[in-house]
C-alpha cells in the first residue's frame, strides 16, 4: 500500500507490513497548514547519577510478569521501566552502562518450553544489547539481591543456582557468553568482592570464597563458622562495599559481622550487637526484606527496625537506625512516615534514604536529617532497591 | 490501545477539502475501503459521521476537561483530546516521546485538538509505544466519540501496536503534526 | 536417590528427577505412629450447574497474564482458576464439558516468538485437553465476549481476526484442528446462531450472516443498515439466546433491536427505546462493559444504567433496569450496592444477577427481588462474566 | 513457596529416635549432605537446631494464633503451622487437595502441627500446587522458624515446585500423614 496520506495514518494501521510512518507525517499536509515539525522520538536515560534508583518488583500475584522501574530520585519521577520474567533478578554494571535482568520464561506464560537467560540492556537506551542463556537454569525464589550479581569490574555476571546441587552460573559480559558453573557445596548467595571473586554464605555458618579465572578454574576457601546459624542466622541482604571487598552481615537478633573479602582468604571480625539492653527490653529488632544498607563514603549502617518477638525478621520497620560502623555506635534514629520493607541509600554527599513501604509506596528521606524528600507510587509489590554504583 | 479517533472526522473533513488537489475523497475512500472492509462496504469512514455530528468532540472535550498546556502528565493536557491509556509522559517519555526501550508503533491515527492558549486546532498523531508491559501510570480513559470495535478505526480498546516489534502495549503518546 | 524417607521429603525437594512422592508418604513411618492415610489429591469441579460463573480478567496492568476464575454462585466461592495469555478471550462449550481460552503468548513474556492458540480445558478437571494454533493470529483488544465464540452445537470455535482484513478463524472442536478463515469484510464480532452460522456487526450498520460447511464453503448474507451507526451504534455486547438464534442489540442511546438469526437471512425488528421521556429528562443511559444481558426463560432484559451525558457509554451503572422484551415495558429497577461495569444472569428459575463492580468486587443479587445474595473479591480487573449455558 | 520448615526438626528428632532400627541418623545426614551440600559441610540439618531451640515452633504457633480445626480457609487453621502462601482451600482445593488443573509438586517437606482439639502432634506433608499463576487468595505469611535461603530446606521464599510439570507456583496445601 502506498503511503500518500501518512497524516491520516489510520490507513496504515491496517498495513502491518508497511514501514515506520513517523518520518512521513509532515508530508502531504494541506498547503496552508503550518507544520510544527515535531518528530516522534524515543527517550534516552540521562547519564547515570548517584540518585538513580532501580526498583525490582516480582509483581505478586502475577509473578510471571516482573518489572524493573527506573527512578530519578532527585526529580522524584519515573524515567523508565522494563519488563522481566518469573521471579526475575536484577543487577547493574558498576558504571551503570548496562543493566541486567536474570529471567525465566515459559513459552506459553505458565507452561510450555522454559527458558532461563540473562538479558543485557543498554543503560541509557534500555534497548536489549544481548541475551545469554543459562543452560542450568536459575534458583526460583522471591527475589533477593544476592541471588544474582556482577563482579566488581563488571566482567562477569553471577547467578545462583540450585538444581539440585548449589552452584553459581558465570556469564562473561565481554564475550556475552555462558562460561559454566562454579560449585559452591552447601552454600548460597553471591557477595562479589573482586573482578574474579565472590563469597557465599553456607548452611553450616561458614563463608565460602571462590576465586576463579577465565576458564573457571576455581580456588575455594572457607572461614568460620562465624555465626550461630541455628539460632541467629544472618540475613541474605547485607551492607556491602564491593569495591573495597567489605560486607557487613546483619543477624536476625541484631548482631553485625564485618567481613573483609579483599583477600582470597577472608577475615571476619567478631560480632557486635546493634542493641543495647534498653533496646532489647523494648523488643527492638531488625526486620523487613532488604533490611540493611550502608552509606559507603561515611561508613554508616542503616537498618530497618521494629518492635517485635523472635521470628519477626520479615516484619516491616517503623524506624531506620543509623550506626557508625567504625565506632559501633548508633548515631541517628529516623522515624518513618510509613512502615518499610526495603531500604537503599544513594552514595553521594547529601544522600537519599529510599524506603519501599508495605503499601508499595516509595518514600524518600534525606538520609542525614531524616526529613521527607518525596513520595511516589508505582507497581504493586516493589521489593528490591538498587542505586547507581551498588 | 485505549485511543479514540473521535476527531479524525474533523481532520479528514478539513484535509479532504484543502487537499482536494492532491487526492480526491473518492479515491481515499476506495483505498481505505479496500484495506478495511473489502469492496462490499460503503460508508466505513468517520467523515460520514462528521456530517451529522452536533459538535466537534475535540472542542467539546477541551471545554469539558478545561484543557491546559502546562502539565503533560495530567489527563486534561490539551494534546490528549483523543488519547486513552497510560500517558507516556508519566513513564519516562513525553507527549511525543516513547519511554526508553519502547518503540512507537509504526502505525498511528490523527486527531485534531484545540490548543486553549491560541484557540487554534492542531493535528495530533497518536501512536502507542509498544514492546513492554503496561507502564501503569496516569491512566486517562476517555470515551468521547469512541465507537465499538466493529468500527475499529474509531475504537480505543484495540491494541494499536500493529507493525511494531511486539504487540504488547506500553503507553500512549501524542505528537503535533501541524496546525490547521 | 532412593526414597526410604519419603516422610522427610525435604530430601526429595532437591531430587528433581525423582517421581511423585505423594503415594509414598505413609510408608516407613515410625512403627507406633498412627497413619491417617490422607492422600494428596487434585480437586475436580462439580457437574456444571446454572449458578456456575466464569470470570475473565485481562489483569491490567499486567496484561500478559490474564486469568479465568470459576465461581460457584450458590456457595459464593472460588472453585477454580486458570491462567491465560495476553488479551485472552474465553468461551464455554454449550454443556460446559469443555472451556476454551483464546490466547496470545510471546516466548519471553513481552517479546520473542509469538504464538496464538486456543487452549481446550476439560470442564471438570481443568486439565488441558488440546491446543490448536491460530496461524492467522487474533485481534488483540481489551476482551469483549463476542470476539471469540463457540457455535450453538459446540462443534466450531470462532475467533475474530483483523490483520489487516477482518475474518473469523474457525477451529473444529471434534477434530481439534484449525480449518481456516471466513472473511467478513468490513464487519466484526461473532454472534453464533446455529451449528454452522454466525452473524457480525458491520461498520456500515448492516448485519452480516455467514453460513458455512465443514470445508468452510461459506454463504454470506447481509441485512440493513438497521442502526444509525454514526450517531447511535449498538454495543458489542448484546443479550443473546443463541439456541433460539435470537440477539437483542442495545444502542448507546438505549434503543433495542431484536434480531432473529434462526434463518440464513436474518430479520431485525424495528428498534424501541428503553427510555421514557421522563428517563431522558433525567439523563438515564446504558453504560458499562458487559452492559446488557437477559434471563432467557422469562424473556427479561437486564441493562446497566446510569445518569450521564452522551459518550458516557462505558460509565459504570448505578442501577439495573429490567425489561420484558415481549411487551417492551420496564418491570423492575434494581438499585446496586456498588456501581457495576458488567452483569450476567444465571438461567434457572431463581436467577442470580451477577455484577462486577468498578472496584473489582463480584456482588450477586437475587435477579427477581434485587436482594443481595453475596459479595466476593478476587482478581484486579475482572471484566467479563459467563454463566453455564451462555 | 512461602512455606517454612520450622517444625521439621521435631519430626526428624521424633522419627530418628523411633525409627532407629530402620535407618541411622548418621546415614540420613550423610545422604542429605551429599545431595544438599556435597561432602564438605557438616551440620546442615534442622535436627542440629532442635537441640538448642527453646520451644517447638509448631506448638508456639498454635498458641499464638489460637489454632482452630473448623475453617481451613483461615490462616490459623491448625495444619498450616508451617505453611506460608496462598491457601489452596480458598482457590478450589482443600488442605490436602490441589485446585482443579494444578498439580501437586512431587516434592514436599513435612512439619508437625498441634491439633488443638486432641492436643496431639500430627505429621503434615506440605507441598505447593503448581502449574498456574498465583491463585492470590488467603495469603498467610508466617515466618516462625524461617531461615535464609542459604539454608534452603528451611526457607519459605523458595518456589517449592521442584520436579513438577511447571515451576509456576499456584497455592499451598497441607495433608496429614500421620499422628506421632
Amino acid at each position: 500500500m502506498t503511503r500518500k496520506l501518512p497524516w491520516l495514518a489510520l490507513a496504515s494501521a491496517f498495513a502491518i507490513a508497511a514501514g515506520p510512518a513517523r518520518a512521513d507525517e509532515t508530508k502531504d499536509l494541506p498547503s496552508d497548514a503550518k507544520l510544527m515539525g515535531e518528530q516522534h522520538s524515543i527517550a534516552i536515560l540521562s547519564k547515570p547519577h548517584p540518585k538513580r534508583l532501580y526498583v525490582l518488583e516480582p509483581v505478586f500475584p502475577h509473578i510471571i510478569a516482573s518489572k524493573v522501574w527506573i527512578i530519578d530520585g532527585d526529580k522524584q519521577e519515573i524515567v523508565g521501566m522494563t519488563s522481566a520474567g518469573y521471579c526475575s533478578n536484577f543487577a547493574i554494571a558498576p558504571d551503570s552502562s548496562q543493566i541486567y535482568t536474570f529471567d525465566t520464561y515459559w513459552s506459553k506464560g505458565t507452561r510450555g518450553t522454559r527458558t532461563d537467560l540473562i538479558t543485557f540492556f543498554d543503560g541509557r537506551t534500555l534497548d536489549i544489547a544481548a541475551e545469554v542463556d543459562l543452560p542450568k537454569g536459575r534458583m526460583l525464589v522471591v527475589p533477593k539481591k544476592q541471588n544474582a550479581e556482577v563482579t566488581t569490574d563488571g566482567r562477569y555476571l553471577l547467578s545462583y543456582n540450585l538444581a539440585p546441587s548449589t552452584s553459581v552460573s558465570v556469564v562473561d559480559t565481554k564475550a556475552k557468553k555462558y562460561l559454566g558453573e562454579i560449585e559452591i557445596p552447601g552454600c548460597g548467595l553471591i557477595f562479589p568482592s573482586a573482578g574474579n571473586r565472590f563469597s557465599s554464605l553456607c548452611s553450616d555458618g561458614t563463608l565460602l570464597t571462590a576465586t576463579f579465572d577465565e576458564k573457571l578454574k576455581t580456588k575455594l576457601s572457607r572461614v568460620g563458622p562465624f555465626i550461630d546459624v541455628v539460632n541467629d542466622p544472618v540475613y541474605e541482604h547485607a551492607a556491602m562495599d564491593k569495591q573495597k571487598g567489605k560486607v557487613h552481615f546483619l543477624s536476625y537478633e541484631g548482631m553485625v559481622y564485618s567481613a573483609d573479602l579483599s583477600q582470597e582468604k577472608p577475615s571476619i571480625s567478631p560480632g557486635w550487637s546493634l542493641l543495647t539492653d534498653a533496646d532489647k527490653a523494648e523488643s527492638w529488632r531488625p526486620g523487613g526484606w532488604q533490611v540493611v544498607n550502608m552509606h559507603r563514603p561515611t561508613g554508616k549502617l542503616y537498618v530497618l527496625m521494629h518492635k517485635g518477638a523472635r521470628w519477626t525478621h520479615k516484619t516491616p520497620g517503623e524506624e531506620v537506625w543509623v550506626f557508625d560502623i567504625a565506632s559501633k555506635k548508633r548515631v541517628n534514629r529516623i522515624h518513618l512516615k510509613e512502615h518499610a520493607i526495603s531500604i537503599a541509600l544513594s552514595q553521594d554527599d547529601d544522600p537519599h534514604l529510599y524506603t519501599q513501604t508495605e503499601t508499595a509506596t516509595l518514600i524518600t528521606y534525606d538520609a542525614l536529617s531524616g526529613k521527607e524528600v518525596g513520595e511516589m507510587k508505582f507497581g504493586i509489590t516493589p521489593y528490591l532497591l538498587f542505586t547507581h554504583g551498588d | 490501545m485505549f485511543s479514540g479517533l473521535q476527531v479524525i472526522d474533523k481532520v479528514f473533513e478539513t484535509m479532504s477539502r484543502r487537499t482536494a488537489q492532491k487526492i480526491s475523497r473518492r479515491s481515499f475512500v476506495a483505498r481505505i475501503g479496500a484495506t478495511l472492509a473489502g469492496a462490499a462496504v460503503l460508508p466505513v469512514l468517520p467523515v460520514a459521521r462528521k456530517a451529522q455530528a452536533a459538535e466537534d468532540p475535540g472542542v467539546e472535550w477541551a471545554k469539558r476537561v478545561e484543557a491546559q498546556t502546562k502539565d503533560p502528565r495530567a489527563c486534561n493536557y490539551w494534546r490528549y483530546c483523543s488519547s486513552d491509556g497510560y500517558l507516556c509522559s508519566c513513564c519516562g517519555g513525553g507527549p511525543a516521546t516513547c519511554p526508553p526501550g519502547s518503540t512507537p508503533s509504526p502505525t498511528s491515527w490523527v486527531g485534531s485538538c484545540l490548543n486553549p492558549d491560541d484557540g487554534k486546532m492542531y493535528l495530533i498523531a497518536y501512536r502507542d509505544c509498544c514492546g513492554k508491559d503496561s507502564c501503569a501510570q496516569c491512566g486517562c480513559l476517555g470515551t468521547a466519540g469512541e465507537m465499538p470495535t466493529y468500527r475499529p478505526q474509531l475504537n480505543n480498546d484495540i491494541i494499536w501496536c500493529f507493525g511494531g516489534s511486539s504487540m504488547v502495549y506500553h503507553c500512549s503518546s501524542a505528537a503535533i503534526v501541524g496546525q490547521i
Side-chain angles (χ1 to χ4, degrees), chain A, chain B:
Chain A
M1 182 174 150
T2 62
R3 299 197 44 74
K4 272 210 174 150
L5 280 170
W7 34 264
L8 213 162
L10 83 86
S12 71
F14 301 93
I16 289 179
R22 60 200 137 121
D24 299 338
E25 261 140 15
T26 53
K27 290 183 197 166
D28 297 321
L29 274 177
S31 54
D32 54 349
K34 199 170 130 197
L35 299 187
M36 315 304 286
E38 186 178 46
Q39 293 299 309
H40 215 105
S41 60
I42 303 176
I44 291 175
L45 293 177
S46 68
K47 247 183 83 178
H49 54 90
K51 291 191 171 98
R52 165 79 51 81
L53 178 71
Y54 306 83
V55 182
L56 172 65
E57 68 159 332
V59 190
F60 279 99
H62 313 289
I63 52 173
I64 58 170
S66 299
K67 284 180 177 174
V68 178
W69 302 89
I70 307 177
I71 308 297
D72 183 323
D74 273 324
K75 296 184 181 160
Q76 289 284 301
E77 63 184 42
I78 294 170
V79 294
M81 189 215 90
T82 197
S83 294
Y86 178 72
C87 295
S88 285
N89 275 93
F90 178 75
I92 318 170
D95 59 0
S96 296
S97 62
Q98 287 195 320
I99 61 175
Y100 310 98
T101 57
F102 299 65
D103 297 320
T104 299
Y105 292 108
W106 284 266
S107 56
K108 293 169 189 165
T110 56
R111 63 186 207 268
T113 308
R114 173 174 168 175
T115 306
D116 298 90
L117 77 162
I118 301 178
T119 308
F120 294 40
F121 294 90
D122 181 274
R124 301 284 299 275
T125 65
L126 294 188
D127 289 338
I128 293 175
E131 295 181 330
V132 177
D133 279 353
L134 293 171
K136 300 291 181 185
R138 302 166 51 234
M139 186 201 197
L140 296 174
V141 55
V142 187
K144 328 247 173 169
K145 291 178 82 166
Q146 264 33 69
N147 290 330
E149 264 288 5
V150 55
T151 51
T152 56
D153 58 359
R155 177 66 189 276
Y156 300 107
L157 298 173
L158 307 170
S159 175
Y160 179 43
N161 203 3
L162 178 144
S165 64
T166 53
S167 64
V168 170
S169 305
V170 183
V171 164
D172 184 335
T173 60
K174 225 163 92 183
K176 299 181 166 94
K177 212 184 128 190
Y178 167 75
L179 298 185
E181 301 288 312
I182 295 176
E183 301 290 328
I184 51 167
C187 307
L189 305 173
I190 301 160
F191 299 89
S193 57
N196 64 340
R197 188 187 312 128
F198 67 89
S199 299
S200 297
L201 286 164
C202 306
S203 53
D204 61 353
T206 60
L207 188 79
L208 183 76
T209 298
T211 307
F212 57 94
D213 67 13
E214 292 187 6
K215 293 184 168 150
L216 290 201
K217 227 189 104 196
T218 303
K219 273 188 269 187
L220 295 179
S221 73
R222 200 180 283 264
V223 293
F226 71 102
I227 48 171
D228 176 353
V229 78
V230 170
N231 289 304
D232 190 25
V234 294
Y235 282 97
E236 292 136 316
H237 290 110
M240 296 173 71
D241 188 339
K242 284 181 217 167
Q243 297 300 334
K244 291 195 184 149
K246 294 266 167 49
V247 183
H248 308 281
F249 295 105
L250 173 71
S251 83
Y252 283 15
E253 297 295 312
M255 295 294 289
V256 177
Y257 303 89
S258 297
D260 182 347
L261 313 177
S262 60
Q263 306 303 319
E264 267 183 38
K265 175 105 181 166
S267 65
I268 305 177
S269 67
W272 56 277
S273 176
L274 297 178
L275 301 164
T276 64
D277 290 345
D279 298 333
K280 286 178 187 168
E282 291 183 346
S283 293
W284 283 102
R285 276 169 212 279
W289 193 259
Q290 186 177 333
V291 64
V292 59
N293 215 298
M294 74 181 288
H295 185 243
R296 298 194 293 272
T298 57
K300 297 291 187 297
L301 195 71
Y302 285 71
V303 184
L304 270 172
M305 302 293 295
H306 70 285
K307 291 182 188 178
R310 202 166 143 76
W311 303 121
T312 58
H313 52 284
K314 284 178 176 166
T315 297
E318 55 196 273
E319 295 189 6
V320 168
W321 288 9
V322 188
F323 296 86
D324 181 67
I325 296 171
S327 66
K328 303 173 185 169
K329 290 266 183 297
R330 188 175 67 204
V331 294
N332 202 1
R333 282 171 78 153
I334 298 173
H335 183 78
L336 299 180
K337 187 183 168 190
E338 222 191 291
H339 293 189
I341 61 164
S342 291
I343 55 171
L345 287 131
S346 70
Q347 300 298 327
D348 45 0
D349 291 340
D350 56 337
H352 276 173
L353 168 64
Y354 300 108
T355 72
Q356 197 66 60
T357 77
E358 53 190 341
T359 60
T361 306
L362 176 72
I363 302 184
T364 302
Y365 303 86
D366 180 306
L368 302 178
S369 70
K371 264 186 67 174
E372 187 186 334
V373 170
E375 181 173 327
M376 297 176 66
K377 217 166 164 58
F378 53 87
I380 52 177
T381 56
Y383 273 20
L384 292 181
L385 306 172
F386 303 74
T387 52
H388 171 56
D390 233 14
Chain B
M1 187 170 60
F2 293 144
S3 293
L5 246 186
Q6 57 265 35
V7 295
I8 198 163
D9 44 1
K10 176 67 180 165
V11 180
F12 180 74
E13 189 195 57
T14 306
M15 293 197 296
S16 61
R17 180 162 37 83
R18 294 188 188 170
T19 62
Q21 73 281 9
K22 290 193 179 178
I23 181 168
S24 75
R25 177 171 154 185
R26 178 189 303 264
S27 79
F28 172 77
V29 171
R31 201 129 51 88
I32 299 281
T35 308
L36 228 201
V41 182
L42 299 174
V44 295
L45 288 173
V47 67
R49 179 164 72 81
K50 181 56 198 172
Q52 300 161 57
E55 190 183 10
D56 184 291
V59 175
E60 187 273 334
W61 178 88
K63 276 188 211 164
R64 180 164 48 80
V65 303
E66 300 181 15
Q68 47 82 27
T69 59
K70 302 285 175 278
D71 182 6
R73 300 178 189 202
C75 289
N76 69 343
Y77 183 66
W78 71 281
R79 296 187 191 188
Y80 302 147
C81 72
S82 296
S83 173
D84 294 340
Y86 303 115
L87 301 181
C88 293
S89 293
C90 296
C91 304
T97 306
C98 286
S102 66
T103 50
S105 169
T107 55
S108 71
W109 61 98
V110 176
S112 67
C113 296
L114 178 73
N115 181 324
D117 288 353
D118 62 14
K120 289 177 180 157
M121 297 296 284
Y122 289 79
L123 292 173
I124 307 292
Y126 296 105
R127 68 178 68 78
D128 290 345
C129 297
C130 307
K132 305 183 184 200
D133 208 352
S134 304
C135 88
Q137 304 299 305
C138 303
C140 299
L141 306 174
T143 54
E146 196 250 3
M147 287 275 157
T149 51
Y150 56 88
R151 304 193 67 199
Q153 74 277 32
L154 294 167
N155 177 269
N156 67 21
D157 300 313
I158 294 171
I159 306 293
W160 284 104
C161 289
F162 296 100
S165 57
S166 152
M167 279 291 292
V168 180
Y169 168 82
H170 184 54
C171 64
S172 301
S173 64
I176 301 178
V177 176
Q179 182 197 307
I180 50 177

